[in-house]
């Protein structure tokens, strides 16, 4: 398990844009599972939408990407590759994105990402997001680890 304090040592993101609360499973170079608790206190709900709060799909995709970044960095660390503290993950593409059900305050988003391909600094991940075991969003994410 990786808690939020350890996540902040891995990712450069900070509140209000750190979108992963905890990693519960991680298999180096293969799979990561983590979650985010969605609360009404999130600044995004001030405008999306007043009186009808819906967590934006783009934020779900970003949360998946952050979980994938943790997987990539931890995989590099474990493999004894380059130093990761001076690296950052950049999106290259988001493909096949689908949003299946709205996410609301009080939901726990569970992110599951499977490595489809990894070559050098490039990672291709199959990302899925669930609430209460129900698929709410999915996308294929391609990212590259680069120097800051």
């Amino acid at each position: 398990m990786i808690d939020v304090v350890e996540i902040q040592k891995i990712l450069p993101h900070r509140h209000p844009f750190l979108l992963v609360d905890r990693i519960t499973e991680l298999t180096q170079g293969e799979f990561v599972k983590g979650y985010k608790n969605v609360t009404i206190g999130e600044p995004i709900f001030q405008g999306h939408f007043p009186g009808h709060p819906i967590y934006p799909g783009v934020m779900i995709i970003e949360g998946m990407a952050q979980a994938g970044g943790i997987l990539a960095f931890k995989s590099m660390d474990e493999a004894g590759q380059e130093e990761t503290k001076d690296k950052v993950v950049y999106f290259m593409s988001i493909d096949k994105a689908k949003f299946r059900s709205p996410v609301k305050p009080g939901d726990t988003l569970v992110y599951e990402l499977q490595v489809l391909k990894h070559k050098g600094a490039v990672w291709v991940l199959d990302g899925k997001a669930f609430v209460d075991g129900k698929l709410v969003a999915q996308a294929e994410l391609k990212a590259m680890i680069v120097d800051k």
Side-chain angles (χ1 to χ4, degrees):
M1 180 179 70
I2 302 171
D3 68 14
V4 73
V5 174
E6 184 68 21
I7 289 169
Q8 289 180 320
K9 293 176 185 173
I10 299 166
L11 295 179
H13 306 78
R14 295 296 179 264
H15 177 79
F17 211 67
L18 180 59
L19 304 178
V20 180
D21 292 331
R22 181 170 290 166
I23 297 296
T24 55
E25 291 178 43
L26 190 144
T27 304
Q28 172 195 340
E30 292 179 23
F31 177 79
V32 68
K33 181 176 183 178
Y35 68 83
K36 178 188 180 18
N37 291 309
V38 179
T39 70
I40 192 62
E42 315 255 352
I44 199 77
F45 290 127
Q46 292 176 11
H48 200 271
F49 299 103
H52 186 67
I54 301 292
Y55 195 65
V58 69
M59 302 294 277
I60 299 169
I61 298 290
E62 174 64 27
M64 283 192 277
Q66 289 180 17
I70 294 166
L71 171 62
F73 281 134
K74 291 302 271 183
S75 296
M76 288 173 61
D77 281 349
E78 299 291 324
Q81 293 179 7
E82 313 174 49
E83 185 65 40
T84 59
K85 69 177 174 54
D86 296 320
K87 303 284 184 184
V88 68
V89 178
Y90 283 167
F91 263 137
M92 294 173 66
S93 66
I94 303 165
D95 295 311
K96 303 175 189 170
K98 293 184 180 171
F99 304 99
R100 305 200 174 270
S101 187
V103 176
K104 299 177 180 179
D107 288 341
T108 297
L109 270 168
V110 177
Y111 303 123
E112 294 185 9
L113 290 100
Q114 184 78 40
V115 174
L116 296 175
K117 193 187 310 183
H118 169 229
K119 186 170 184 178
V122 177
W123 293 77
V124 181
L125 306 168
D126 176 52
K128 290 185 171 61
F130 301 88
V131 171
D132 295 327
K134 179 181 177 185
L135 182 66
V136 296
Q138 64 192 89
E140 187 175 293
L141 309 172
K142 185 186 285 187
M144 177 181 272
I145 297 177
V146 298
D147 293 327
K148 284 185 183 175

